[in-house]
Amino acid sequence: MRKKLMALACFALVSTAANAQFGQIVLQHQGAVSVYENNKIDDALTKAVDGDTIYLSEGTFSGDMNITKKISVIGAGINTVWGGNVNIDIPGSPTLTARLLDAFTISNTITVVQPCKGLNIRKCQFNSIVFNALTENATIDRCYSRGNENSGFNLSENVKSLYVMNSKIWCLQGDAAAAGDVNFMNCNIYYINNYWTGSKYRAVLASYTNCIIRTWDTNTSSSFYTNTVFRNCLCGRNYYTYSNNANCWNYNNTDILSNSTECSLSDADLKTKGYIGTDGTVVGITGGAAPYSLVPTVPRVTEHTITVDTEKKELNVNIKVTTN
């Protein structure tokens, strides 16, 4: 069921006690607002046009999200949980000028299905990401990839000029064409998975700056490391010494915690040990210009009331919108 609200309610991610668990979908479309139930994303996506914004309240949502237009999908933070996959399937090799995905949890996989430029994913938590089509000039900012070696952060030769900043990655794998195509800055990475498929060696080629890396299983001699902290690799050898590195550190007591993307060292510890990045801040997710956080920076509803005027047959919505 859809309800037309005033344009003032464009951020009205409202939930009654009965449906708060499931969340609501709000489409801001050409000056008007429509509200959809949590399982009606297809209806919202069908009505949306380029430039529209879809807001997701806190709560859970079902089904896959198939994005075929140049829109923005913005959640309310980590407690906005999308239970399916998100497929980026916009025809015509578009150049995206606004963030596409922002501030919500994706339980399964983000897949780039058709070529695009300017992809921007921010403050999202997701299981895995797959680049099945040419992806150029993309940014992944303050995100958390939770997937393991069976479903992690999967690079490919389709990636050209990808920048990953202040993000946590449990397992990084895949075979980018060249190290310069993929750049990690101020990231915590638990596991870099280079492996043999039986027909091809899938080596993770990338450039790492101001990162903390716990372990990887085989040397990637064509990667580049700058101001990066290492822990011993899985096979017990310090392969980083054979790679291209500048001002890097390797210590057993410098640890991304086992089976985690969290660092055992505080900001103060990192600073005391001199683990300072090229930007003058500490290495890892808490350094850089925009430290890691999944808290949304977009306006969101903090207070709301909903009343029904049965005589006038009107739905009255009062909201308080704040930013953080």
Side-chain angles (χ1 to χ4, degrees), residues 54-169:
I54 290 176
Y55 295 95
L56 307 175
S57 72
E58 289 189 349
T60 58
F61 299 81
S62 59
D64 289 347
M65 183 189 304
N66 299 304
I67 300 174
T68 61
K69 299 162 187 174
K70 296 190 291 184
I71 61 174
S72 293
V73 182
I74 301 175
I78 194 172
N79 293 323
T80 299
V81 180
W82 196 267
N85 300 299
V86 174
N87 300 310
I88 303 169
D89 193 8
I90 309 171
S93 301
T95 296
L96 307 177
T97 57
R99 60 190 181 275
L100 186 68
L101 308 176
D102 194 351
F104 64 103
T105 295
I106 299 158
S107 298
N108 295 326
T109 302
I110 301 172
T111 302
V112 180
V113 179
Q114 294 200 58
C116 64
K117 296 180 180 179
L119 174 65
N120 188 338
I121 300 174
R122 188 176 72 169
K123 293 195 171 187
C124 286
Q125 180 174 259
F126 49 85
N127 190 53
S128 60
I129 185 166
V130 179
F131 300 92
N132 284 342
L134 182 62
T135 307
E136 301 179 88
N137 301 320
T139 301
I140 295 178
D141 178 16
R142 289 164 287 175
C143 289
Y144 178 19
S145 173
R146 304 173 301 174
N148 58 26
E149 59 268 25
N150 296 317
S151 59
F153 195 111
N154 295 279
L155 299 175
S156 77
E157 294 182 354
N158 292 318
V159 176
K160 307 294 181 184
S161 191
L162 168 66
Y163 294 88
V164 184
M165 301 176 293
N166 292 90
S167 293
K168 300 195 297 185
I169 299 169

Side-chain angles (χ1 to χ4, degrees), residues 219-261:
N219 176 37
T220 306
S221 59
S222 297
S223 288
F224 295 88
Y225 307 89
T226 304
N227 286 52
T228 290
V229 177
F230 298 90
R231 191 178 189 274
N232 287 342
C233 70
L234 189 63
C235 56
R237 297 179 61 189
N238 299 331
Y239 275 117
Y240 93 99
T241 60
Y242 301 106
S243 300
N244 302 302
N245 67 83
N247 195 36
C248 293
W249 308 275
N250 184 52
Y251 294 103
N252 286 332
N253 63 351
T254 301
D255 194 8
I256 293 286
L257 298 174
S258 180
N259 202 32
S260 170
T261 54

